[in-house]
């Protein structure tokens, strides 16, 4: 009854389904009549219809039923059901039949996700005519019509910071701005000269991605269909003057250079061409110090105990005076009306210049050592002095009294005041420079070679990683050895089990054989007694009577049944015994193979430990050498401030000229000098004059500009870079530039380029991603590249082999950020699903899923050699987390939709940017916003 009821229910369901099917019989769409005779153009008339109703499912990325409707050629090729169109025969063309709903499947399907609408009768008529005309046509590249971006529109979708944290870049709409972070100074915008008619812009379209090369000399910017590579201009020796340069001076107007050598004369050099314009003769000893007056009309020169003032235009001496003690320093005061000199007898002596005479004033006493350097503090009547007594003093020139005494910590070789009078600097024999704020009693201490200190920090990071690698591989050895012991125990147990399983098999075989024999004998007996009837019995055998035969057959049958059962029982027992034996043999073989495998793993892990230990030894040695080199401080002999108050230049015995921020003391740049620079001076144009110990003078041009080096891609529909270049990454060695692009919902594009030539190195093709790539990151050792895309996958590629290693799935929306931990064994990703996910790259699986954010997590970065990373959220929130999933710090960001962020390798410099276009500079250690760098006002159109 139950089965009958089930069958009845099934019939009812089938009947209902049949009725429903009958009710859903398609209603054809009637094709409208069309009297047109002109040719139908596929690209302009048919393709737009397919875009609206068909291409969501039938494109080269998503080709349902293997059918692509993008070109006449792919339409004629067809899909699983053959050609979609028969040229000249619209009534036989599946495309028109399905589109007009004459038969199923209906196209587009009802309730489709793309919300594609049915074709109208008129549209079907056009498609029908096109097929009748032969279904011909071509699809040409799209013509892009560019429109100027509004100047008030300045969102920042891309930002970058150099590895050392010196420079930052921000793409604001199609403008590209650079900052020198030490001074937070905005440099000149990066402009493509071919777009100068539009304005000071870098690209026609928005800047979607940025990346600095590891050495900070190149910046790559990505836009629609193109990448531009910008090169930083390096300091260059504008000219070298092959004259003795023991003492030098530069005029403020940049016109004149004064160089004094060992011939008791001064050469006035025309700075425009480096030629000697005048020679000033008359000194009776070597000139030690020179200074141009503030208006550049006079030149004061000091030799031993005498001062001589020259008229620059005429090249004539206008005044001279002798002093009681050797002069070691000189400065103009009171706008060029007075002079002050520092002497070996610890005294400062002022002089008034009037009517071709230098009249001495009251002596200024207080230093307990020779006064080695002087400078005027503007504006006003203050004088700055430095002495071998290790102090810096500020004097009131009107009263002649010292108003401030500051300790430097060693004999002072040079002092200089910033032109605006807000800061001054002192340099000493101990190799330390101090940058003083006039309004404060404390100073910023500057010492050592920042480049060497940076190298030492890198070696320290390498050493920490090496130590961590040794510990990691040692833990792997412990694990593999434990596994080896477990497998060896398994082998022993398997061997014992095999012996135990083989022992009963012979006995069970004997029992089985006897059961087979017994059954066979029983069958023979049954056959014999069954055949002994009177008519069939052999002549030699007595025939059994029917009653006896019946009893004999019964007896034989019973015995056969018993024998058969015994045989079956024996077969079951034997089969079970044989299965146990077979399993024991198989387990023994597997255990033996596992031992072989794990022995190899132990050897591999032990070799990895040995290699890591060797690497650690090398890292230890490199760190020790770097620390020793960075820790050596050599005397600083000369200092000078630039005329624009932004830069402090220093030089000393180490053959380096160093540039520092005149505000913060942060390192800006280091210049290798042919020999130690004994004197420095800036002119108004920012040219740095260095007098060298080898009797040469060099004029250094110190540009901070970046120029366009090359463009990759054509920036149009024919470009080898498909659509927007959303992601850029330089390899750690700087010889590969990776680009991530792709047409949305059509495919992802991953390519490697040579940044020095712009040549394509490799195209990963369709294996990259099925949707646009949005983020990239190289591992610290450069062996792997991670990518994230709109297809929700994170992928890891082998850079050398150029193949995919891992495809990691877990995000439910676009991947917006990926970052390798320094050891390369962990990867973190962030997405538009408001999630952060941690991936174990050794196991190739997800290892953590920290608490979600409120909105999409737009960027993520590991920093330093720690297990910590920082993530930014679209709602302005920032979090520092560790890869154990724990939160280290959370802090509120600006009221801005944050699109992007960038971080220096150490994590000391972190910046974020968003819809407002402002750059937010953070102290990650304190969670403190240091500065907000707003977009500059739009430059007027030329």
């Amino acid at each position: 009854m139950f089965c009958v009821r089930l069958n009845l229910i099934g019939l009812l369901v089938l009947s209902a389904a049949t009725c429903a099917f009958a009710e859903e019989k398609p209603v054809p769409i009637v094709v409208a009549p069309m009297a047109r005779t002109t040719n139908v153009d596929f690209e302009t008339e048919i393709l737009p219809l397919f875009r609206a109703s068909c291409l969501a499912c039938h494109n080269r990325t998503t080709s349902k039923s293997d059918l692509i409707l993008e070109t006449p050629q792919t339409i004629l090729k067809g899909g699983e059901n053959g050609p979609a169109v028969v040229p000249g025969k619209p009534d036989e063309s599946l495309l028109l039949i399905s589109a007009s709903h004459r038969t199923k499947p209906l196209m587009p399907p009802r309730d489709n996700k793309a919300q594609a609408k049915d074709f109208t009768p008129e549209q079907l008529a056009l498609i029908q005519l096109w097929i009748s005309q032969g279904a011909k046509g071509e699809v040409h590249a799209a013509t892009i019509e560019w429109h100027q971006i509004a100047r008030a529109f300045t969102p920042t979708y891309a930002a970058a910071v150099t590895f050392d944290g010196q420079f930052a870049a921000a793409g604001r709409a199609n403008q590209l701005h650079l900052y020198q972070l030490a001074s937070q100074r905005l440099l000149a915008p990066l402009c493509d000269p071919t777009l100068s008619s539009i304005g000071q812009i870098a690209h026609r379209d928005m800047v979607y991605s940025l990346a600095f090369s590891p050495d900070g000399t190149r910046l790559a910017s990505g836009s629609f269909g193109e990448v531009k590579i910008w090169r930083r201009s390096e300091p260059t020796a504008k000219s070298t003057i092959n004259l003795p340069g023991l003492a030098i001076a530069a005029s403020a107007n940049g016109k004149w250079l004064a160089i004094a050598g060992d011939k008791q004369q001064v050469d006035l050099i025309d700075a425009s061409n480096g030629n000697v314009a005048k020679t000033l003769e008359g000194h009776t000893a070597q000139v030690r110090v020179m200074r141009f007056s503030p208006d550049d009309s006079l030149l004061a020169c000091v030799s031993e105990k005498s001062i001589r003032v020259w008229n620059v235009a005429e090249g004539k001496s206008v005044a001279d005076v002798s002093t009681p003690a050797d002069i070691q320093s000189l400065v103009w005061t009171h706008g060029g009306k007075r002079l002050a000199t520092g002497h070996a007898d610890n005294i400062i002596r002022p002089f008034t210049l009037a009517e071709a005479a230098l009249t001495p004033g009251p002596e200024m006493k207080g230093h307990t050592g020779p006064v080695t350097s002087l400078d005027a503090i503007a504006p006003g009547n203050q004088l700055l002095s430095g002495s071998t007594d290790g102090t810096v003093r500020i004097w009131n020139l009107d009263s002649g009294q010292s108003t401030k005494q500051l300790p430097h910590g060693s004999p002072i070789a040079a002092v200089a005041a910033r032109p605006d009078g807000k800061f001054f600097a002192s340099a000493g024999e101990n190799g330390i420079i101090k940058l003083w704020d006039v309004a404060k009693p404390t100073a910023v201490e500057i010492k050592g070679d920042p480049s060497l200190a940076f190298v030492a920090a890198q070696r320290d990071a390498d050493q920490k990683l090496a130590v961590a690698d040794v510990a990691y591989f040692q833990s792997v050895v412990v694990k593999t050895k434990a596994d080896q012991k477990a497998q060896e125990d398994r082998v022993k147990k398997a061997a014992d089990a095999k012996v135990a399983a083989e022992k009963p098999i012979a006995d069970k075989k004997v029992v089985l054989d006897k059961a087979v024999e017994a059954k066979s004998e029983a069958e023979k007996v049954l056959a014999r007694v069954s055949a002994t009837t009177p008519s069939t019995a052999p002549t030699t055998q007595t025939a059994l009577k029917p009653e006896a035969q019946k009893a004999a057959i019964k007896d034989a049958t019973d015995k056969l049944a018993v024998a058969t059962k015994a045989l079956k029982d024996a077969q079951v027992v034997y089969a079970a015994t044989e299965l146990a034996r077979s399993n024991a043999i198989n387990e023994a073989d597997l255990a033996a193979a596992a031992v072989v495998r794990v022995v190899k793993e132990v050897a591999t892990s032990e070799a990895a430990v040995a290699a890591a230990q060797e690497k650690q030894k090398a890292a230890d040695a490199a760190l020790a050498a770097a620390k020793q080199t960075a820790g050596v401080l050599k005397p600083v002999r000369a200092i000078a401030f630039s005329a624009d108050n932004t830069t402090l230049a220093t030089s000393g015995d180490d053959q380096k000229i160093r540039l520092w921020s005149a505000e913060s003391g942060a390192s800006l740049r280091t210049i290798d000098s042919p020999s130690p620079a004994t004197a420095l001076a800036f002119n108004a144009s920012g040219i740095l004059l260095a007098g060298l110990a080898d009797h040469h003078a060099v004029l250094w041009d110190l540009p901070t500009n970046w120029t366009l080096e090359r463009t990759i891609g054509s920036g149009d529909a024919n470009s080898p870079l498909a659509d927007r270049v959303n992601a850029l990454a330089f390899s750690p060695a700087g010889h590969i530039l990776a680009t991530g692009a792709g047409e949305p919902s059509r495919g992802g594009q991953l390519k490697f380029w040579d940044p020095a030539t712009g040549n394509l190195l490799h195209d990963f093709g369709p294996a990259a991603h099925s949707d646009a790539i949005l983020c990239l990151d190289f591992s610290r050792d450069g062996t792997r590249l991670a990518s994230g895309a709109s297809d929700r996958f994170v992928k890891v590629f082998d850079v050398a082999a150029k193949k995919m290693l891992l495809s990691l799935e877990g995000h439910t929306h676009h991947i917006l950020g990926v970052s390798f931990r320094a050891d390369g064994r962990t990867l973190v990703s962030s997405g538009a699903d408001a999630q952060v996910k941690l991936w174990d790259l050794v196991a190739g699986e997800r290892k953590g899923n920290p608490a979600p954010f409120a909105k999409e997590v737009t960027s993520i970065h590991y920093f330093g050699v720690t297990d910590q990373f920082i993530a930014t959220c679209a709602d302005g929130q920032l979090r520092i987390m560790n890869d154990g999933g724990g939160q280290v710090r959370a802090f509120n960001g600006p009221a801005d939709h944050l699109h992007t962020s960038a971080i220096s390798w150490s994590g000391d410099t972190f910046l974020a940017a968003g819809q407002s276009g402002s750059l937010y500079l953070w102290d990650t250690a304190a969670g403190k916003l240091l500065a907000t760098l707003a977009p500059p006002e739009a430059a007027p159109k030329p």
Side-chain angles (χ1 to χ4, degrees):
M1 181 65 184
F2 181 68
C3 293
V4 172
R5 291 181 66 186
L6 274 181
N7 289 337
L8 179 59
I9 292 171
L11 289 172
L12 290 173
V13 172
L14 179 61
S15 176
T18 303
C19 294
F21 182 82
E23 291 174 358
E24 292 183 359
K25 185 176 180 179
V27 178
I29 302 174
V30 178
V31 180
M34 179 171 283
R36 173 174 167 174
T37 58
T38 56
N39 290 333
V40 179
D41 183 77
F42 176 83
E43 185 173 25
T44 60
E45 296 182 272
I46 302 299
L47 186 58
L49 302 182
F50 290 171
R51 283 200 182 105
S53 298
C54 308
L55 293 192
C57 298
H58 297 288
N59 58 72
R60 67 172 181 263
T61 301
T62 306
S63 54
K64 289 188 176 180
S65 301
D66 294 333
L67 178 60
I68 301 173
L69 301 179
E70 293 181 327
T71 67
Q73 292 73 30
T74 59
I75 292 171
L76 293 175
K77 180 181 178 182
E80 293 176 353
N81 298 319
V85 161
V86 179
K89 299 179 179 180
D91 290 338
E92 298 178 19
S93 298
L94 293 175
L95 188 150
L96 185 62
I97 293 171
S98 295
S100 59
H101 293 188
R102 297 181 211 171
T103 186
K104 288 191 173 184
L106 306 182
M107 291 297 159
R110 293 178 180 175
D111 300 323
N112 61 83
K113 293 181 179 179
Q115 298 182 343
K117 297 180 180 180
D118 295 337
F119 290 114
T120 66
E122 291 74 21
Q123 291 171 335
L124 290 171
L126 190 64
I127 295 171
Q128 177 177 268
L129 179 59
W130 172 68
I131 297 173
S132 298
Q133 292 175 348
K136 299 176 182 179
E138 295 182 358
V139 177
H140 303 87
T143 301
I144 299 174
E145 184 178 349
W146 295 102
H147 296 273
Q148 187 170 336
I149 296 174
R151 296 186 182 279
F153 184 63
T154 58
T156 299
Y157 295 136
V161 65
T162 53
F163 194 65
D164 59 5
Q166 290 242 8
F167 292 92
R172 293 179 171 120
N174 57 359
Q175 302 174 59
L176 190 48
H177 297 134
L178 264 75
Y179 290 88
Q180 197 172 60
L181 287 180
S183 59
Q184 299 177 10
R185 185 161 61 100
L186 177 66
L187 306 180
L190 274 60
C191 303
D192 184 340
T194 65
L195 304 176
S196 59
S197 61
I198 303 174
Q200 292 184 328
I201 61 173
H203 294 272
R204 285 190 178 90
D205 195 20
M206 308 283 287
V207 178
Y208 296 109
S209 53
L210 290 170
F212 280 104
S213 61
D215 62 3
T217 61
R218 283 190 172 100
L219 172 66
S221 59
S223 187
F224 184 92
E226 67 183 11
V227 172
K228 293 183 179 179
I229 298 179
W230 312 82
R231 185 86 179 192
R232 187 177 77 180
S233 301
E234 295 298 318
T236 55
K238 187 176 180 181
S239 61
T240 299
I241 302 170
N242 296 318
L243 294 171
L246 298 181
I248 61 172
S251 64
N253 60 16
K255 182 179 180 180
W256 297 107
L257 305 175
I259 299 178
D262 54 3
K263 295 183 179 180
Q264 302 177 10
Q265 66 185 36
V266 175
D267 291 301
L268 282 178
I269 309 295
D270 185 337
S272 64
N273 54 31
N275 295 330
V276 177
K278 297 181 179 68
T279 297
L280 310 180
E281 297 178 325
H283 289 281
T284 58
Q286 179 181 310
V287 175
R288 297 174 178 174
V289 185
M290 298 181 293
R291 287 286 186 104
F292 281 94
S293 62
D295 63 1
D296 300 318
S297 64
L298 302 174
L299 176 68
C301 303
V302 167
S303 60
E304 292 185 348
K305 298 180 180 181
S306 69
I307 308 169
R308 187 177 293 266
V309 178
W310 300 84
N311 181 295
V312 174
E314 298 177 0
K316 294 181 179 179
S317 174
V318 296
D320 64 88
V321 68
S322 295
T323 62
D326 283 347
I327 306 171
Q328 298 195 351
S329 51
L330 166 73
V331 68
W332 288 93
T333 65
H334 295 81
K337 297 179 180 179
R338 299 182 187 179
L339 285 168
T341 52
H343 295 257
D345 61 0
N346 314 337
I347 296 174
I348 299 172
R349 293 180 170 88
F351 294 88
T352 300
L353 176 63
E355 298 179 359
L358 287 168
T359 305
E363 295 180 345
M364 301 162 64
K365 299 178 181 180
H367 280 295
T368 59
V371 181
T372 54
S373 185
L374 294 172
D375 204 3
I377 299 177
N381 60 346
Q382 295 186 95
L383 179 68
L384 177 69
S385 66
S387 167
T388 59
D389 64 9
T391 65
V392 180
R393 292 178 180 245
I394 297 177
W395 305 79
N396 184 301
L397 288 170
D398 293 335
S399 66
Q401 299 298 311
S402 173
T403 60
K404 189 178 293 185
Q405 179 177 327
L406 302 169
H408 180 86
S410 75
I412 295 174
V415 295
R418 208 168 78 171
D420 62 4
K422 294 181 179 180
F423 286 83
F424 60 90
S426 57
E429 295 286 340
N430 61 355
I432 294 176
I433 304 146
K434 289 190 175 183
L435 180 62
W436 305 85
D437 186 331
V438 171
K440 300 176 182 177
T442 57
V444 175
E445 188 172 281
I446 304 170
K447 62 182 179 180
D449 186 332
S451 61
L452 294 178
F454 188 70
V455 169
Q458 288 291 292
R459 298 296 81 81
D460 183 63
D462 292 340
Q463 193 268 349
K464 284 183 171 66
L465 279 180
V467 170
D469 280 347
V470 169
Y472 170 76
F473 288 116
Q474 284 176 337
S475 70
V476 173
V477 168
V478 171
K479 182 179 178 181
T480 52
K481 283 188 173 180
D483 192 13
Q484 179 181 358
K485 185 178 184 306
Q487 296 302 331
E488 288 171 346
D489 291 343
R490 178 186 173 193
V491 167
K492 185 177 183 304
K493 290 179 181 179
D496 293 343
K498 180 180 177 183
V499 171
E502 286 177 340
K503 283 182 180 180
I505 197 69
D507 294 340
K508 304 304 178 185
K509 185 67 168 64
V510 170
V511 172
L512 178 63
D513 290 345
K514 287 181 178 180
V516 170
E517 184 178 348
K519 183 176 181 288
S520 177
E521 186 61 30
E523 288 172 340
K524 289 177 182 179
V525 170
L526 178 61
R528 188 169 58 249
V529 298
S530 298
T532 56
T533 63
S535 60
T536 60
T539 56
T540 58
Q541 184 176 335
T542 303
L544 295 175
K545 293 180 180 181
E547 294 79 3
Q549 184 183 30
K550 185 177 180 181
I553 290 174
K554 182 179 183 305
D555 181 62
T557 300
D558 290 343
K559 289 181 178 180
L560 177 59
V562 172
T564 298
K565 183 178 183 303
L567 176 59
K568 287 183 178 179
D569 291 344
Q571 286 175 332
V572 170
V573 172
Y574 182 81
T577 307
E578 177 59 29
L579 179 61
R581 174 178 172 272
S582 176
N583 287 342
I585 292 172
N586 186 53
E587 171 62 12
D589 291 342
L590 290 175
V595 168
V596 173
R597 172 186 57 80
V598 79
V599 165
K600 290 181 179 179
E601 289 178 355
V602 169
T604 300
S605 58
E606 287 179 336
V609 168
Q613 288 173 335
E614 287 300 315
K615 187 177 178 180
Q616 182 184 338
K617 288 180 183 178
D620 290 342
L623 176 59
K627 283 184 175 180
Q628 183 177 5
T629 303
V632 175
L633 299 179
K634 294 188 177 182
V636 177
R637 304 294 184 187
I639 56 178
F641 282 97
S642 62
D644 62 2
N645 301 303
T646 63
T647 306
L648 171 67
T650 65
S651 63
D653 291 354
D654 58 358
Q655 278 187 231
K656 304 282 187 182
I657 298 173
R658 295 190 175 83
L659 306 180
W660 315 84
S661 166
E663 190 84 19
S664 66
S667 173
L668 300 179
R669 190 167 290 186
T670 299
I671 304 171
D672 291 324
S673 177
S675 67
T678 58
L680 297 172
F682 279 97
N683 66 17
S685 303
I687 302 297
L688 176 64
L689 175 65
L692 307 183
D694 64 357
H695 293 191
H696 287 74
V698 179
L699 276 73
W700 292 94
D701 190 1
L702 308 177
T704 54
N705 59 303
W706 297 63
T707 55
L708 181 61
E709 185 178 35
R710 64 180 43 84
T711 299
I712 299 172
S714 54
D716 56 27
N718 295 315
S719 176
L721 292 164
D723 211 88
R724 299 170 177 173
V725 181
N726 301 303
L728 292 166
F730 279 94
S731 64
H735 64 286
I736 296 173
L737 174 64
T739 58
E743 295 181 70
S745 77
R746 307 293 290 276
Q749 186 188 74
L750 176 60
K751 293 186 177 184
F752 283 174
W753 306 85
D754 181 350
T757 63
N759 294 334
L760 178 66
L761 300 176
H762 184 70
D763 183 351
F764 284 84
H769 284 272
S770 62
D771 207 339
I773 295 173
L774 303 178
C775 50
L776 296 170
D777 189 40
F778 277 97
S779 61
R780 191 174 189 270
D781 61 5
T783 61
R784 288 164 296 164
L785 174 74
S787 61
S790 298
D791 61 7
R792 308 173 188 178
F793 281 89
V794 174
K795 295 190 178 184
V796 180
F797 297 87
D798 184 308
V799 173
K802 299 178 177 64
K803 66 178 183 180
M804 187 178 71
L805 298 175
L806 295 171
S807 182
L808 306 171
E809 185 177 8
H811 282 282
T812 59
H813 213 310
H814 298 355
I815 312 297
L816 302 177
V818 290
S819 181
F820 280 98
R821 182 172 163 171
D823 62 13
R825 292 187 283 272
T826 302
L827 183 77
V828 66
S829 60
S830 64
D833 54 4
Q835 296 282 339
V836 168
K837 297 187 184 297
L838 290 151
W839 307 93
D840 183 338
L841 299 185
V842 177
E845 60 188 19
R846 191 168 65 193
K847 64 178 285 189
N849 194 26
F853 284 69
K855 290 188 177 181
E856 57 264 39
V857 187
T858 54
S859 67
I860 200 156
H861 305 279
Y862 270 107
F863 52 88
V865 293
T866 70
D867 64 349
Q868 296 182 7
F869 55 87
I870 186 166
T872 61
C873 182
D875 63 3
Q877 299 298 301
L878 296 95
R879 290 187 199 170
I880 297 178
M881 295 176 279
N882 58 42
D883 57 21
Q887 181 171 290
V888 177
R889 182 180 296 106
F891 38 98
N892 293 328
D896 197 354
H897 183 110
L898 297 180
H899 292 303
T900 185
S901 70
I903 196 166
S904 62
W905 77 274
S906 64
D908 293 338
T909 301
F910 175 75
L911 54 89
Q915 192 63 25
S916 71
S918 291
L919 273 185
Y920 306 101
L921 187 61
W922 292 86
D923 178 346
T924 52
K928 179 182 178 182
L929 182 63
L930 298 176
T932 299
L933 308 176
E937 293 184 7
K941 185 177 178 180

